[in-house]
Amino acid sequence: MSLDDEGWTRVHRNKSRQSTPAKPRSTDCLASSSSSSPPPPPPADSLTFAPRTTGVFRRPEAVRADYDRIRSQWLQSEPAHEALVQLVDAAAAATTTTRRPLVVTKAVCLGIGTFDPEDGAWEAKRAAFVQLCALTTLVSQLEKYSKTPIQCIFQEPIFTDSDKTFLTSLGHRVVSSPQAYDLVDDTTLLFAIHLYRPIYAAALRSNLPAIFVGTGWDVWDTVSMERVNDLENMQKMHAMYTRHPFPQDAASTAFSSTSIYFAPPPPSSSVVVVERDSGDNG
């Protein structure tokens, strides 16, 4: 951490994913060191992250080979996969009773990390791949109910060219920060695991998503710090949505302190049917 010219405590993120993600700390809110009451956090796009420019870069084909191997393990033996399928099925069943189907038109993924860290750390790399597996599991199951293809959109400032080529080869879209924040609406699956508080504030500032996966209000509310209103929409979501602990990966902490929230079905609009008089007019 360091102090910038404006007195903000800036948290610098490692270029590789943390091997053991922890609960958010008060420093994640970037409190001012020169004021007794902290002002609102700075915009998320003021958090400066950049892709690495040194070291050996793996070819996209090698990244894809790692993903295919981990995805095969995920589908065949990972209990979290089946648990996610059951969560989506239960949410869809709940909306069926209200005659308001579960509809998701796009998935926005924030900060998944690089699939090619500079130090080649396997645990960090595997966490990114497992999170991608979880996202694709959710999307695949949701498409059965939305009955339309769901585009996955990724925003991660530390993506290398190999990361971008790998994801686009899977049919996904990669955008530059902060474009993805404005894509979140009430038909979005927002997938954002282990991120800094200003990122969540930016992603939720305009609209609440249909489904949210990330560090929920139950965790942020336990952080000992002066309260600010940057996560007011997350608090609202916590009160309105159905929340479940996210299924855990048995081999890592990829989903520690993570929740999945499902939006309640919108109220059915009242339809007034006016029958015309069958008699002759005039």
Side-chain angles (χ1 to χ4, degrees):
M1 293 185 295
S2 61
L3 293 180
D4 63 16
D5 294 337
E6 297 178 357
W8 290 101
T9 303
R10 189 173 299 279
V11 181
H12 296 285
R13 182 183 183 182
N14 289 334
K15 293 178 182 177
S16 61
R17 300 286 286 181
Q18 291 180 340
S19 59
T20 307
K23 285 188 176 183
R25 300 168 298 167
S26 59
T27 51
D28 293 341
C29 191
L30 308 184
S32 171
S33 61
S34 59
S35 173
S36 58
S37 60
D45 54 9
S46 70
L47 297 173
T48 304
F49 307 125
R52 65 185 178 94
T53 57
T54 60
V56 177
F57 293 87
R58 303 183 73 211
R59 295 177 59 84
E61 295 83 357
V63 177
R64 176 64 183 267
D66 283 344
Y67 169 67
D68 288 342
R69 182 172 64 257
I70 293 174
R71 184 172 183 272
S72 177
Q73 296 169 356
W74 167 269
L75 293 175
Q76 293 176 13
S77 61
E78 179 56 62
H81 167 259
E82 185 59 32
L84 281 178
V85 170
Q86 293 175 4
L87 280 174
V88 172
D89 288 346
T95 60
T96 300
T97 61
T98 63
R99 298 183 180 181
R100 306 288 292 186
L102 177 63
V103 176
V104 173
T105 61
K106 61 180 173 290
V108 172
C109 178
L110 304 177
I112 197 170
T114 178
F115 303 99
D116 184 23
E118 183 174 12
D119 56 6
W122 175 247
E123 186 175 354
K125 185 163 52 176
R126 184 184 182 279
F129 281 126
V130 168
Q131 289 177 12
L132 179 58
C133 290
L135 174 61
T136 56
T137 292
L138 286 171
V139 167
S140 177
Q141 198 66 13
L142 286 166
E143 286 178 335
K144 297 179 181 179
Y145 297 100
S146 296
K147 301 186 185 304
T148 183
I150 297 173
Q151 183 180 38
C152 294
I153 303 164
F154 290 80
Q155 177 179 291
E156 171 57 272
I158 67 171
F159 273 160
T160 65
D161 288 341
S162 291
D163 291 324
K164 296 175 184 178
T165 300
F166 159 63
L167 288 171
T168 55
S169 74
L170 297 176
H172 305 320
R173 176 184 169 197
V174 178
V175 300
S176 299
S177 182
Q179 295 179 39
Y181 303 136
D182 293 330
L183 300 178
V184 177
D185 60 22
D186 60 0
T187 64
T188 301
L189 160 60
L190 177 58
F191 194 88
I193 296 178
H194 298 153
L195 302 184
Y196 290 111
R197 184 175 179 128
I199 305 297
Y200 290 119
L204 297 172
R205 68 174 177 240
S206 298
N207 297 292
L208 294 182
I211 301 173
F212 169 77
V213 176
T215 305
W217 180 251
D218 59 310
V219 175
W220 289 110
D221 193 38
T222 64
V223 176
S224 177
M225 59 177 290
E226 293 289 338
R227 293 291 188 257
V228 291
N229 295 326
D230 59 317
L231 292 183
E232 183 178 3
N233 276 346
M234 180 180 284
Q235 186 176 9
K236 183 187 302 183
M237 183 176 67
H238 187 75
M240 296 169 51
Y241 285 34
T242 300
R243 185 189 71 85
H244 303 275
F246 199 84
Q248 296 299 300
D249 174 44
S252 73
T253 57
F255 306 115
S256 63
S257 302
T258 299
S259 295
I260 180 168
Y261 288 78
F262 292 93
S268 299
S269 58
S270 299
V271 179
V272 178
V273 179
V274 179
E275 296 184 359
R276 294 184 61 185
D277 188 351
S278 59
D280 294 335
N281 293 327

